Amino acid sequence: MTRSEEEFTPQQIEAGRLLFARRAEFMLGVVNLDALPDEGPGEVAFAGRSNVGKSTLLNALTGQNGLARASNTPGRTREINYFDLEGAMRLVDLPGYGYAKASRKDVERWTALTRDFLRGRSVLRRVCVLVDSRHGLKQTDREVMDLLDEAAVNYQIVLTKTDKIKPTALEKLIEATGQQIMKRPAAHPIVRATSSEKGDGIAELRADLAMLAVQ
């Protein structure tokens, strides 16, 4: 199931706009847990298969096209990248998973780093698990969801690139995805459908995340 802009109050939509109107600044890139910043404001992490559109979505949310570096090369994000919204919230870009061209050693290192981060970050409010709408949930996505369920970390499925499929196919995908997460204990029930290129779902996702900033 999804939720349209009309189902938010104007105040909630405005709160999301104001949160992401703040200047987003790159803080640091982390390659080991000892280098994580001190826990401060609430954090929202973004996870997904390589080339799912994480960087593009972060740029769309913040309205800063150069904030996160987008690349057509899978596995480009090899560290945990932190961005600060003027102290109101931190956005965390996690290494992409499912990359085929990386060495096994690199994959194991990035995977271990991400798993340890997810299990031990008390200020982590939610993980947005990005899923390419053209492909739907893959086994690697389910493995990440299993980890999040086990760690009791709240997560939300965010469909990306929805402009690439037909509206009827998108409706079916949202319904099917909602059915697959229904019994998962840590899953947020709302599946958010977005298109960074057209702006669809961006205001709603901002509103979703703004609710976490005040908790």
Side-chain angles (χ1 to χ4, degrees):
M1 89 191 239
T2 190
R3 182 166 60 186
S4 68
E5 182 172 338
E6 289 74 17
E7 291 173 310
F8 288 97
T9 66
Q11 291 80 8
Q12 289 170 328
I13 292 292
E14 179 65 4
R17 186 191 71 79
L18 289 174
L19 174 64
F20 285 92
R22 293 169 179 261
R23 180 70 183 173
E25 298 281 355
F26 174 74
M27 289 180 61
L28 77 167
V30 176
V31 294
N32 61 74
L33 295 183
D34 292 338
L36 285 173
D38 292 338
E39 294 190 349
E43 298 174 358
V44 174
F46 295 79
R49 289 174 56 82
S50 296
N51 220 22
V52 75
K54 281 195 292 97
S55 297
T56 306
L57 180 64
L58 281 167
N59 292 341
L61 283 170
T62 60
Q64 297 175 219
N65 289 334
L67 181 69
R69 183 173 56 181
S71 171
N72 290 324
T73 304
R76 184 66 175 270
T77 302
R78 301 188 179 188
E79 56 190 15
I80 297 175
N81 288 319
Y82 265 83
F83 303 92
D84 179 66
L85 287 175
E86 295 182 4
M89 176 180 279
R90 290 174 180 172
L91 309 178
V92 187
D93 186 8
L94 297 174
Y97 53 82
Y99 23 72
K101 294 184 179 180
S103 70
R104 179 179 295 275
K105 183 178 180 180
D106 280 343
V107 170
E108 290 175 351
R109 179 172 60 82
W110 304 335
T111 301
L113 176 65
T114 302
R115 285 176 180 270
D116 290 343
F117 168 81
L118 293 175
R119 286 174 173 149
R121 199 68 176 166
S122 66
V123 291
L124 184 60
R125 298 286 183 261
R126 178 171 297 169
V127 176
C128 292
V129 178
L130 276 55
V131 174
D132 190 323
S133 61
R134 297 169 298 180
H135 308 304
L137 288 171
K138 298 290 188 180
Q139 181 58 31
T140 47
D141 299 315
R142 296 186 182 92
E143 290 171 0
V144 170
M145 291 158 65
D146 289 342
L147 170 64
L148 292 167
D149 285 330
E150 178 186 346
V153 174
N154 178 265
Y155 62 93
Q156 181 173 17
I157 302 298
V158 178
L159 301 175
T160 63
K161 307 181 183 182
T162 57
D163 56 292
K164 305 298 184 185
I165 65 174
K166 295 181 179 179
T168 52
L170 177 58
E171 290 179 11
K172 292 179 180 178
L173 176 62
I174 291 170
E175 178 65 25
T177 305
Q179 290 291 329
Q180 292 183 69
I181 66 172
M182 188 176 295
K183 294 184 178 180
R184 287 185 170 270
H188 187 70
I190 302 298
V191 176
R192 178 66 58 221
T194 67
S195 166
S196 297
E197 183 174 326
K198 293 191 173 182
D200 297 342
I202 299 300
E204 293 88 342
L205 182 55
R206 287 172 177 160
D208 283 336
L209 302 182
M211 294 179 189
L212 304 175
V214 298
Q215 292 182 6

